Amino acid sequence: MTHLASQPMMNHVVSNEQNLRTFNIFKAIKVAFLPIFLALLVSGTLDQFINSKIEAILRSPQGLSQTIWFYGSVSIFSSLFFPLLISFFASYALARSIQDQDYNQFIPNNLPDFIGEHFELSFLETLRSWGKTFLWTFLFIIPGIVKFFLYMPVPFVVFFSKRYQAGEVDALKLAQKIFKKHWFWLLVYMTMFTFILPMALSLGMDQYRVFREYFVYASMLTAVDAVIVIIFHYYILKLILKFIKDDDSKGQSYGLNV
């Protein structure tokens, strides 16, 4: 009789835990959706503008002009800056959604403080990872692709690793350890959320992503992209934060519970 009475209570506890996880992701979407949507909107518009300018230069009867280097440089900067900015938005929202006071005390209460604390280092470390990836890709294509995946966790190491912030570990080396530990699921999530879903959404819809011609449709598709980005970060951060917590505990106990 006691067992039968306790069963509904156990189911209620499990249900509450599931609702809490659902609430966390929806809370993160609520916090991060608008800034990520705007970042994607600006980056998409900028990329389309730059591509149109470069195509016009390439087709010009006067031949190539020096301005192509300017647009190329802006394109490279955009492809580095906006993904990093989006990672900031998603990481902050998801970190704040974790229902653990011991962990939240290490996360600033507002987004500008979070960005201000970590932007310079994360930008420099991302440049390092890009440089090494480019070098390997230039010399050997497949090792370059491998390096690209190995260095994917670099920004999150800068954001959350207390050992990195104390100067005890190298961001690129720790990122490689994280990926090697969780390579299967990270590859699954990256393949699903950065390749399969975007390609599926692009089938027959590419023409509607041109903002100057179909601004409303392009904006709606960008909104869907923003939600996908947040969910992608939700899944990978569950793995990465757990690894970083365990790694931090090797050097010093910070009382983090993810």
Side-chain angles (χ1 to χ4, degrees), residues 11 18 53 63 69 79-80 84 92 101 121 126-127 134 161-162 176 178 192 250 253 258:
N11 292 337
Q18 292 174 345
K53 290 295 184 181
W69 296 106
S79 62
L80 176 64
L84 181 59
Y92 174 79
Q101 294 299 322
L121 283 176
T126 303
L127 280 178
F134 176 78
S161 173
K162 302 305 172 185
Q176 292 184 74
I178 294 172
M192 176 63 67
K250 295 177 183 178
S253 176
V258 180

Side-chain angles (χ1 to χ4, degrees), residues 102-103 106-107 156-170 174 177-178 240-258:
D102 291 333
Y103 182 79
F106 294 99
I107 307 299
F156 310 110
V157 170
V158 179
F159 298 163
F160 301 114
S161 173
K162 302 305 172 185
R163 293 189 66 205
Y164 168 79
Q165 294 168 15
E168 298 176 5
V169 295
D170 180 81
L174 185 56
K177 290 181 180 179
I178 294 172
I240 293 174
L241 287 176
K242 179 64 168 63
F243 185 99
I244 289 176
K245 171 197 169 183
D246 294 340
D247 183 75
D248 283 342
S249 65
K250 295 177 183 178
Q252 180 179 357
S253 176
Y254 289 90
L256 304 183
N257 293 306
V258 180

Side-chain angles (χ1 to χ4, degrees), residues 24-143:
N24 287 344
I25 185 61
F26 277 102
K27 179 180 178 181
I29 290 175
K30 181 180 178 180
V31 172
F33 174 79
L34 183 58
I36 288 179
F37 169 74
L38 292 176
L40 290 172
L41 194 68
V42 173
S43 64
T45 304
L46 181 62
D47 285 344
Q48 291 178 17
F49 173 77
I50 292 173
N51 290 335
S52 66
K53 290 295 184 181
I54 292 176
E55 289 177 5
I57 293 172
L58 294 175
R59 295 175 181 176
S60 174
Q62 286 79 26
L64 297 179
S65 66
Q66 295 297 323
T67 54
I68 194 172
W69 296 106
F70 169 76
Y71 289 118
S73 300
V74 174
S75 179
I76 293 173
F77 176 80
S78 174
S79 62
L80 176 64
F81 174 77
F82 283 104
L84 181 59
L85 188 64
I86 289 168
S87 293
F88 265 107
F89 295 150
S91 297
Y92 174 79
L94 288 162
R96 293 303 301 175
S97 74
I98 296 173
Q99 303 300 300
D100 189 290
Q101 294 299 322
D102 291 333
Y103 182 79
N104 281 338
Q105 66 178 313
F106 294 99
I107 307 299
N109 291 325
N110 59 75
L111 181 60
D113 287 345
F114 182 67
I115 295 177
E117 287 184 10
H118 303 298
F119 185 81
E120 182 178 357
L121 283 176
S122 61
F123 189 80
L124 293 175
E125 295 290 5
T126 303
L127 280 178
R128 282 184 63 209
S129 67
W130 268 45
K132 290 193 174 185
T133 301
F134 176 78
L135 180 61
W136 278 98
T137 304
F138 181 76
L139 297 175
F140 309 100
I141 301 298
I142 295 180

